[in-house]
Amino acid sequence: MTQDVEMKEQAAPSNSLPSFSPSTLHHLKEIASLIETGAYDREVRRILRAIRLTMALRRKLKASALSAFLNFTLIPGSEALTRLSSYLPKEDEHAMEVDTATSAPQAPAKHSLPEIEIYCYLLVLMFLIDQKKYNEAKACSSASIARLKNINRRTIDVLAARLYFYYSLCYELTGDLAEIRGNLLSLHRIATLRHDELGQETLLNLLLRNYLHYNLYDQAEKLRSKAPRFEAHSNQQFCRYLFYLGKIRTIQLEYTDAKECLLQAARKAPIAALGFRVQCNKWAIIVRLLLGEIPERTVFMQKGMEKALRPYFELTNAVRIGDLELFRSVAEKFSSTFSSDRTHNLIVRLRHNVIRTGLRNISISYSRISLVDVAKKLRLDSVADAESIVAKAIRDGAIDATLDHASRCMLSKETGDIYSMTEPQTVFNSRIAFCLNMHNEAVRALRFPPNSHKEKESAEKQRERRQQEQELAKHIAEEDDDEF
């Protein structure tokens, strides 16, 4: 704003129009005009575009520009103007006079549209969060939500969804997320009654985040299962929903569904959302390890994720080797990281997988080994623990061996030649059948021109048929004339 002001003051004596880049206030006025047009024409896409332009302008927001914009758009003396101006810090009088002077030549456009008012709330709320004034942001967000409850317009749904997000963010940053859970449930009920599907998506994700923040997984699953579902309107909200669903499924030991949800969320997430994709990959790596899979090295070498995924790479290496001591050291070394990621409880579950992997390596290497040596190699506390672990692994089919309780040793069975059995033939046959079925379905889905299987008429037959049709039509017309 100061650069624009200096240029205007220098150009005043010459009475010529200076050439300078539009100010932040000018951009905000254009966005307000776009929202006004979208509200009058009931075109939500214009308001979506206004939101995108605002996000690009967010880093340039200043208190002076916001104050001038509020005075330009809102009615003087209105409750909204008084409340929003109180949240903004007081700038020096010279800057305020200059802003007023720059906007004075333009005709003041005072708006009474609810869309413009809600947009002003959104601007001030984003500014307060960026300035880390969280208490003022909480008050501003609560006032905006109270105002939203009295407005039922489909053109406000996009702005309302943004306000819901920042409303929850303010309370999360101050550690008071539990206070607004009842209000979020009330807002979700209102959005459902108003058929605001974007608001329902946003509020459902905020409620799931609220429950998961306090480890209330059962309540989160009950809400998710009973909430109405429909086609996703926002890719970002759908990615968040998949991530929260993956976390719920992981805690419920449904690792296969959890893996699909987490990987799909990571694939669908925007490239710019690096932090979200890192969290998805962290949970997906743990889930794959719990399933007995070893993630590829390329997962840990993704651009921008190498440092964040380094603890999980070392953890995966320990699980792959089956070294319980190395697993313990890695878990202790990065315990603070795992606790902040909320994956520490899942890593405790991995201990059994590490033991089973080490036991599988032992059964392949030795045809006969005593349980004392098994306990030493796996670094277990006692022989009794080794015996129970070996017995459970044999029962689950993890290893092909027998347990001799008399001599207290494990006897591994010889691995036969797999190609001497019928299993490869069965697998190969199933793959061939799958390919043939897919080919048949593709052929059935093809579209053919009508009557293409019939013999095509010659040019002479076509002329004769058309001539007969013309004569018949002429004859019918003559009969109609005679009757008339």
Side-chain angles (χ1 to χ4, degrees):
M1 290 301 297
T2 54
Q3 293 179 358
D4 296 338
V5 169
E6 289 173 0
M7 295 178 70
K8 289 184 179 181
E9 288 176 350
Q10 292 173 2
S14 62
N15 296 325
S16 61
L17 293 175
S19 60
F20 56 87
S21 60
S23 63
T24 305
L25 179 59
H26 178 71
H27 285 301
L28 290 175
K29 291 177 182 178
E30 289 182 345
I31 294 173
S33 176
L34 188 63
I35 293 176
E36 184 181 4
T37 305
Y40 283 127
D41 297 341
R42 296 183 180 179
E43 293 185 359
V44 180
R45 62 182 181 85
R46 293 182 182 272
I47 300 179
L48 279 170
R49 186 174 171 224
I51 292 291
R52 289 195 295 269
L53 293 174
T54 305
M55 292 300 119
L57 199 66
R58 181 173 178 175
R59 296 180 181 275
K60 300 178 182 179
L61 293 178
K62 294 183 179 179
S64 58
L66 280 178
S67 181
F69 178 71
L70 294 178
N71 292 325
F72 174 78
T73 54
L74 299 178
I75 299 174
S78 62
E79 182 183 356
L81 178 60
T82 305
R83 179 183 288 115
L84 291 175
S85 299
S86 65
Y87 297 132
L88 297 176
K90 303 298 181 183
E91 296 288 332
D92 57 325
E93 295 181 359
H94 174 70
M96 292 299 296
E97 289 174 1
V98 169
D99 289 334
T100 307
T102 55
S103 60
Q106 303 180 9
K110 301 302 179 182
H111 300 280
S112 59
L113 283 175
E115 287 83 359
I116 297 295
E117 181 183 345
I118 296 301
Y119 178 70
C120 291
Y121 272 108
L122 180 62
L123 276 179
V124 174
L125 184 56
M126 289 192 301
F127 174 77
L128 292 174
I129 292 175
D130 292 340
Q131 298 296 318
K132 297 183 179 180
K133 298 180 179 181
Y134 300 134
N135 292 326
E136 292 87 346
K138 284 171 61 176
C140 180
S141 62
S142 299
S144 65
I145 294 300
R147 181 72 179 94
L148 269 177
K149 289 182 178 180
N150 300 322
I151 305 174
N152 184 13
R153 293 164 67 104
R154 297 286 69 78
T155 49
I156 288 187
D157 291 348
V158 179
L159 297 168
R162 289 280 178 173
L163 276 179
Y164 296 149
F165 172 77
Y166 289 117
Y167 173 57
S168 177
L169 179 62
C170 292
Y171 280 83
E172 183 177 354
L173 291 173
T174 55
D176 302 325
L177 202 55
E179 295 180 8
I180 62 170
R181 189 179 303 152
N183 206 6
L184 290 177
L185 289 169
S186 172
L187 290 170
H188 186 268
R189 182 169 58 253
I190 293 172
T192 304
L193 294 175
R194 292 176 177 176
H195 303 285
D196 176 11
E197 295 184 351
L198 180 59
Q200 291 179 60
E201 280 184 343
T202 306
L203 289 166
L204 177 60
N205 286 332
L206 293 176
L207 283 166
L208 292 177
R209 183 179 182 86
N210 197 309
Y211 284 123
L212 298 184
H213 183 78
Y214 295 99
N215 297 324
L216 302 174
Y217 288 91
D218 290 339
Q219 296 184 31
E221 173 58 19
K222 288 179 182 178
L223 172 67
R224 188 209 63 80
S225 61
K226 295 181 180 180
R229 293 299 303 161
F230 37 79
E231 185 179 354
H233 291 264
S234 171
N235 181 61
Q236 289 86 348
Q237 296 299 331
F238 184 55
C239 290
R240 291 190 181 112
Y241 174 78
L242 289 173
F243 176 62
Y244 298 143
L245 180 58
K247 294 177 73 172
I248 293 172
R249 291 287 182 262
T250 303
I251 299 300
Q252 293 177 337
L253 306 180
E254 298 177 11
Y255 297 133
T256 304
D257 294 342
K259 173 189 168 184
E260 293 178 1
C261 292
L262 292 168
L263 292 179
Q264 189 178 1
R267 285 194 300 267
K268 285 181 173 290
I271 298 177
L274 181 61
F276 179 80
R277 291 191 294 118
V278 166
Q279 287 297 321
C280 289
N281 278 282
K282 287 179 178 179
W283 279 75
I285 289 168
I286 297 295
V287 169
R288 293 183 67 180
L289 291 175
L290 289 169
L291 282 171
E293 303 176 8
I294 302 297
E296 301 81 5
R297 185 179 288 266
T298 54
V299 174
F300 304 95
M301 304 303 293
Q302 298 179 62
K303 185 178 180 181
M305 300 186 189
E306 298 91 342
K307 185 177 180 180
L309 296 181
R310 183 67 188 178
Y312 295 87
F313 175 74
E314 296 189 15
L315 187 71
T316 302
N317 189 41
V319 175
R320 181 182 62 84
I321 297 173
D323 190 340
L324 191 59
E325 189 65 27
L326 179 60
F327 174 78
R328 288 172 180 167
S329 64
V330 171
E332 292 176 0
K333 180 180 178 182
F334 299 104
S335 60
S336 59
T337 303
F338 297 144
S339 298
S340 62
D341 294 338
R342 300 196 169 201
T343 56
H344 187 267
N345 292 336
L346 301 177
I347 290 169
V348 172
R349 298 183 191 177
L350 279 176
R351 180 178 180 274
H352 186 68
N353 293 55
V354 176
I355 295 174
R356 180 169 291 189
T357 303
L359 188 60
R360 190 182 299 116
N361 295 336
I362 292 173
S363 67
I364 294 173
S365 303
Y366 297 91
S367 60
R368 179 187 178 93
I369 185 172
S370 65
L371 295 177
V372 177
D373 293 335
V374 170
K376 288 181 180 179
K377 289 183 177 295
L378 295 179
R379 301 182 183 181
L380 300 175
D381 298 332
S382 64
V383 179
D385 292 343
E387 185 175 5
S388 62
I389 290 171
V390 170
K392 190 175 186 305
I394 293 173
R395 188 195 65 183
D396 295 343
I399 58 175
D400 192 7
T402 57
L403 190 59
D404 189 353
H405 294 281
S407 57
R408 299 180 69 81
C409 64
M410 182 181 73
L411 304 175
S412 301
K413 297 180 181 178
E414 292 187 9
T415 55
D417 185 8
I418 189 67
Y419 291 101
S420 63
M421 306 177 185
T422 59
E423 185 177 353
Q425 181 182 359
T426 306
V427 174
F428 191 56
N429 184 51
S430 64
R431 293 180 180 177
I432 292 174
F434 173 77
C435 293
L436 290 175
N437 289 334
M438 185 167 59
H439 174 266
N440 294 335
E441 290 177 2
V443 170
R444 282 195 294 268
L446 291 175
R447 294 183 178 179
F448 298 96
N451 300 327
S452 61
H453 61 284
K454 296 182 180 179
E455 184 180 356
K456 293 183 179 180
E457 293 180 333
S458 62
E460 186 177 353
K461 288 183 178 180
Q462 287 181 358
R463 283 196 300 270
E464 290 179 358
R465 181 171 53 80
R466 290 174 183 170
Q467 186 177 0
Q468 291 175 0
E469 291 175 355
Q470 290 176 0
E471 291 177 355
L472 180 60
K474 184 178 180 182
H475 180 67
I476 293 173
E478 289 176 354
E479 287 181 352
D480 292 339
D481 292 339
D482 293 340
E483 289 177 0
F484 182 74

